[in-house]
Amino acid sequence: MLYHQGARSDALYTVREGAIKLVRHGADGSARIVRIVKPGDLAGLEVLSGREYDASAIAIGPVRVCRLPLATLDRLRTIDSGLGQRMLEKAGDALAEAQLWLAELTAGSAPARVRVARLLLRLKTKPGSTEVFRLASSDIAAILGITVETASRVIAAFKRSGVLTPPAAGSYVMTADSDRLMQEAEGRTD
Amino acid sequence: MLYHQGARSDALYTVREGAIKLVRHGADGSARIVRIVKPGDLAGLEVLSGREYDASAIAIGPVRVCRLPLATLDRLRTIDSGLGQRMLEKAGDALAEAQLWLAELTAGSAPARVRVARLLLRLKTKPGSTEVFRLASSDIAAILGITVETASRVIAAFKRSGVLTPPAAGSYVMTADSDRLMQEAEGRTD
DNA sequence: CGGACTATTGAATGTGGTCAAGATTGGTGG
DNA sequence: CCACCAATCTTGACCACATTCAATAGTCCG
């Protein structure tokens, strides 16, 4: 865990390897994953506005990150004038991603099966690859705002229909039939 | 309409007065509002990454905006070194808002009544005020990812129970009982 | 006074939630 | 090597909420 929701923000983070999830905890104890920070992305932008961290940052598996305390960041910015520019681009990208999640991954006019399919398509290890990261069904549930049970049911259905083929035990990836997955993501029922 | 989803991005916008909505259209014709741009906020950050606009920007009522073509923006940045800093902060704020929407306004462990209540609380004209912007129920539906019918039903229920009092005809605001609205937002059923 | 759009309300259907019970998996220690 | 335990995943039955479809009021223009 890199930092906690509600803690005073003091540093910006960038991920080098692996991935971290930003989890937002509701007053009632419910948890929701609001962003996945992949290599090259930034976490903890709150520090720039002096706000508290508005989510907790938790590593998904082993990661290598770079911690940039605010003072260090300011110093770097006076040296490298392009840094601010690149950070701004990254922030814009993160915003675009968040809005894409809002539009395509949240409930509303799309059944759970479709949303799970869309999420899986975004979890491909590489563009064009048939392998997708295998994350815990509790994480899938926390991203899509559904329960663990429905997540499990949908994944099971995909396995049965051959869209997904389970990996060797302990593996972090599973194989997907991209074409049929895209059909599911469109909502095609046939 | 300031720009269309999918169009080549050529300018950044900031809102002076009023508000604009960023609407993302799905392949199936469905529309979802992914952000409300209020005075001081930025729209069209895609231009910084050279991407296409990933949503359409549509004014909600009369607005006054400032259009900044990319060339102008670059020129301004060489003059005012603090501009990039302020833009970065704004981008971070927008990201925080988007993630808050993801956590609190989308379906998942919260019935429609609760989410409408939360949305209304964020539509207050001023912090502490009892007046909330009265937006079309089709807009409420597009933000929360519910249908117009359920939005209408919930609003009607709030009016009947006295939580909301309808405004004079043609007004852009309506009065809310903040305390009871907060109770509804918590999910308290009593 | 129409005409178009938005809002409202009602009934039937269906998807996902809840609750509860097993099944796998992975890890620990005897 | 195996027994045991905790955590995660899986599956089933029932129910509630929201969607869908459809029909009726408003409301703002021309």
Side-chain angles (χ1 to χ4, degrees), chain A residues 111-112 146-147 149-150 153:
Chain A
I146 60 182
T147 57
E149 290 94 326
T150 26
R153 272 183 251 267

Side-chain angles (χ1 to χ4, degrees), chain B residues 126-145:
Chain B
K126 300 173 184 175
S129 167
T130 60
E131 292 191 326
V132 298
F133 286 112
R134 185 214 179 279
L135 38 81
S137 45
S138 63
D139 283 339
I140 295 181
I143 293 174
L144 299 179

Side-chain angles (χ1 to χ4, degrees), chain A residues 1-14:
Chain A
M1 159 129 9
L2 304 186
Y3 54 78
H4 284 270
Q5 174 177 351
R8 193 178 56 79
S9 63
D10 55 353
L12 182 73
Y13 296 81
T14 96

